Amino acid sequence: VGDGARASVPPGEGRREPLTRPRILERALEMIDRDGIEGLSMRRLAAELDVSAMSLYNHVPNKEALLEGVAETLLAEIDLTGVELEDWTDAIRAGFRSFHEVLLAHPQAAFLIQTKPPATPGAMRPVELSLATLRRAGFDAQNALEAHWALVGYTLGHAMFQQSNPLGDFERGEGTLAAERALPPEDFPHVTEVLPEIANCDLGHAYDFGLNVIVEGLKAKLRKDSQRGLFQVAD
Amino acid sequence: VGDGARASVPPGEGRREPLTRPRILERALEMIDRDGIEGLSMRRLAAELDVSAMSLYNHVPNKEALLEGVAETLLAEIDLTGVELEDWTDAIRAGFRSFHEVLLAHPQAAFLIQTKPPATPGAMRPVELSLATLRRAGFDAQNALEAHWALVGYTLGHAMFQQSNPLGDFERGEGTLAAERALPPEDFPHVTEVLPEIANCDLGHAYDFGLNVIVEGLKAKLRKDSQRGLFQVAD
DNA sequence: ACCTGAACACCGTTCAAGT
DNA sequence: ACCTGAACACCGTTCAAGT
């Protein structure tokens, strides 16, 4: 009380910032981006935060909850402004492309979101918008859900598969020979043919291909269903 | 040498079967199916096989290779007879449905295949057949690869997402209330609307929806591309 | 060639004790 | 209320020793 009544915490330079949940999650994501998911341990994370391992447990119940929190952080990073677009196909494409951009920016994001999907309001906002867009396009509740699952499944699966594609390793360094020894071209002509494509493909472009295919397929489905309704085609 | 020259190992009943790589992989898959991926440890697997933990290392270099081996086993389980069908859309549908059946039969299969995808000939056979089918349908090498990725990504992502869908928990027991408390219906009308669908949906049916959408989308793409080629549309 | 126990360097988490 | 060290019950893997 001697040094000023309104004086708050002194801004001393050597001062350690207080441990908070957001700070923990932020640092955990940093570590995961840098060292991969295996590189993150409670003990190591604590060390990076200059704190004993057990301090973490004052802000997070356990490691699983920590990873769920990181997944939530990632989902909150998605730019959702694009889903306001008038044309529902543009809105869907914009929204899922934003999603995919986050997945490309954080190599382990797809893994985290798939294994520890949080059910918090923040994490459900993208789902709500996706379903709303599909409902507005004309799908009933069940088909909207199935269409949403197709889009989410594709997006997560594509990112994750790319991330660990075994064929992706082959073109690095002198890997080509190893690939051809393991997969004799006469038995695997089409895989062999496609190895160079894998090496220098643009992941964003490859993602867009499938996204467009799914959106076109959904449009066709909508057209067919509405025709069946109009003409009462008995079959 | 005293008890018969041609006599092989005595078939004594208490006799322990010899440790072999296939036997190890088989038992590992059993454990994973039963206890989940976290339930498998080298030490526990060894215990189930009535052997010291270190014996495993005579047949498998490390845990990662073990999981890769299990993933390979799973990929080998896929029934590939359907891809012989004349119509390429039927062939693709049959092949990927077989794939999906394996994923449904083993709850952790999608996870294993996505995180430890093996690049062995056995694991690449399905890829070769998928690419061959798409090439025969009329896609060039690059589009065939992108279409294949769309199908694989969707299949793995769908299975994995279903497996850990946070909304799936809500209908178990008295979970509905928890769901509605966490996600206020006025903020999440479309998610709320769809919760009952999630609870009693047929996963095979939900998968087929997206599979058909993708195949239809691919058909449309093929049609459009061939038209562009025929009429030389300048744009 | 295959198996083994002891040991090493890690984990996540609990608990009782500090301030 | 928050932090801490010691401890517990596990891990994967190495190594030298057995047969």
Side-chain angles (χ1 to χ4, degrees):
Chain A
V1 261
D3 51 342
R6 296 185 311 160
S8 53
V9 209
E13 61 259 17
R15 203 94 180 122
R16 210 166 42 161
E17 272 178 76
L19 205 53
T20 61
R21 199 182 121 97
R23 219 163 76 78
I24 292 174
L25 296 182
E26 191 190 358
R27 196 54 167 266
L29 177 56
E30 256 179 65
M31 283 187 72
I32 292 171
D33 280 344
R34 192 194 336 122
D35 308 325
I37 222 118
E38 318 265 75
L40 178 79
S41 80
M42 297 299 272
R43 291 166 118 110
R44 246 198 294 246
L45 173 58
E48 285 218 3
L49 288 164
D50 246 330
V51 111
S52 96
M54 306 74 208
S55 304
L56 299 175
Y57 288 87
N58 288 312
H59 304 88
V60 140
N62 52 40
K63 191 181 186 181
E64 195 177 330
L66 173 82
L67 292 177
E68 243 172 83
V70 176
E72 202 184 335
T73 305
L74 287 167
L75 288 170
E77 264 186 34
I78 302 172
D79 172 15
L80 295 171
T81 56
V83 299
E84 312 261 301
L85 289 169
E86 236 185 86
D87 184 303
W88 72 268
T89 65
D90 291 337
I92 286 288
R93 262 189 285 254
F96 279 90
R97 241 191 291 251
S98 296
F99 184 17
H100 191 248
E101 272 163 29
V102 173
L103 300 183
L104 284 185
H106 303 276
Q108 308 282 349
F111 177 89
L112 281 171
I113 292 167
Q114 263 180 325
T115 50
K116 319 274 175 202
T120 59
M124 281 301 144
R125 179 101 322 231
V127 180
E128 174 64 24
L129 290 176
S130 171
L131 289 174
T133 305
L134 292 163
R135 290 289 270 131
R136 150 164 90 83
F139 291 104
D140 65 21
Q142 190 187 333
N143 280 350
L145 179 64
E146 291 169 330
H148 170 72
W149 278 345
L151 290 159
V152 176
Y154 166 65
T155 302
L156 287 170
H158 198 272
M160 184 127 174
F161 184 67
Q162 295 304 335
Q163 221 266 310
S164 58
N165 188 350
L167 297 175
D169 298 339
F170 281 154
E171 213 62 13
R172 290 199 213 125
E174 27 70 77
T176 325
L177 299 171
E180 304 209 342
R181 247 188 302 121
L183 303 174
E186 60 273 25
D187 292 338
F188 295 91
H190 298 95
V191 173
T192 305
E193 171 188 48
V194 110
L195 282 178
E197 311 274 1
I198 297 178
N200 19 293
C201 85
D202 172 4
L203 290 187
H205 180 273
Y207 173 75
D208 282 350
F209 178 91
L211 181 59
N212 286 329
V213 163
I214 293 177
V215 169
E216 283 305 317
L218 290 174
K219 231 157 79 179
K221 167 111 178 106
L222 217 48
R223 204 159 43 227
K224 210 168 63 185
D225 286 358
S226 77
Q227 272 177 18
R228 207 195 307 280
L230 279 174
F231 308 137
Q232 297 285 349
V233 177
D235 202 319
Chain B
V1 264
D3 50 340
R6 295 186 310 157
S8 53
V9 209
E13 61 259 18
R15 203 91 181 126
R16 207 164 47 158
E17 273 178 75
L19 205 53
T20 61
R21 198 182 121 95
R23 218 163 78 78
I24 292 173
L25 295 182
E26 190 189 0
R27 196 54 169 268
L29 178 55
E30 256 179 65
M31 284 187 71
I32 291 171
D33 281 344
R34 191 191 340 119
D35 307 326
I37 223 119
E38 318 266 74
L40 178 79
S41 80
M42 297 299 271
R43 292 166 117 111
R44 246 199 295 246
L45 173 58
E48 285 219 4
L49 288 162
D50 246 330
V51 109
S52 95
M54 305 73 207
S55 304
L56 299 175
Y57 288 87
N58 288 312
H59 302 90
V60 140
N62 50 40
K63 191 181 185 182
E64 192 176 332
L66 172 82
L67 293 178
E68 243 172 83
V70 175
E72 201 185 335
T73 306
L74 286 167
L75 287 170
E77 265 187 33
I78 301 173
D79 173 15
L80 294 170
T81 55
V83 299
E84 313 261 300
L85 290 170
E86 236 185 88
D87 183 304
W88 72 268
T89 66
D90 291 337
I92 286 290
R93 264 188 284 255
F96 278 90
R97 242 191 290 252
S98 296
F99 184 17
H100 191 249
E101 272 163 29
V102 173
L103 299 183
L104 282 185
H106 304 276
Q108 308 283 348
F111 177 90
L112 281 171
I113 291 167
Q114 262 181 324
T115 49
K116 319 275 176 201
T120 60
M124 282 299 144
R125 180 100 325 233
V127 179
E128 174 65 22
L129 291 176
S130 171
L131 289 173
T133 305
L134 292 163
R135 290 289 270 131
R136 146 165 92 85
F139 290 104
D140 65 22
Q142 190 188 333
N143 281 349
L145 178 64
E146 290 169 331
H148 170 73
W149 278 344
L151 289 158
V152 176
Y154 166 66
T155 303
L156 287 171
H158 198 273
M160 184 127 174
F161 184 67
Q162 294 304 335
Q163 221 264 310
S164 57
N165 188 350
L167 297 175
D169 298 340
F170 282 153
E171 214 63 13
R172 288 198 216 127
E174 26 71 78
T176 325
L177 299 171
E180 304 209 344
R181 246 188 304 123
L183 304 174
E186 61 273 25
D187 291 338
F188 296 92
H190 299 95
V191 173
T192 305
E193 172 188 48
V194 110
L195 283 176
E197 310 276 0
I198 297 177
N200 18 293
C201 85
D202 172 3
L203 290 185
H205 180 272
Y207 174 74
D208 280 350
F209 177 91
L211 181 59
N212 286 330
V213 163
I214 294 177
V215 169
E216 283 305 315
L218 289 174
K219 230 158 76 179
K221 166 111 181 108
L222 217 49
R223 204 160 41 226
K224 211 167 63 184
D225 287 358
S226 78
Q227 272 178 18
R228 208 195 307 278
L230 278 174
F231 306 136
Q232 298 287 348
V233 178
D235 204 318

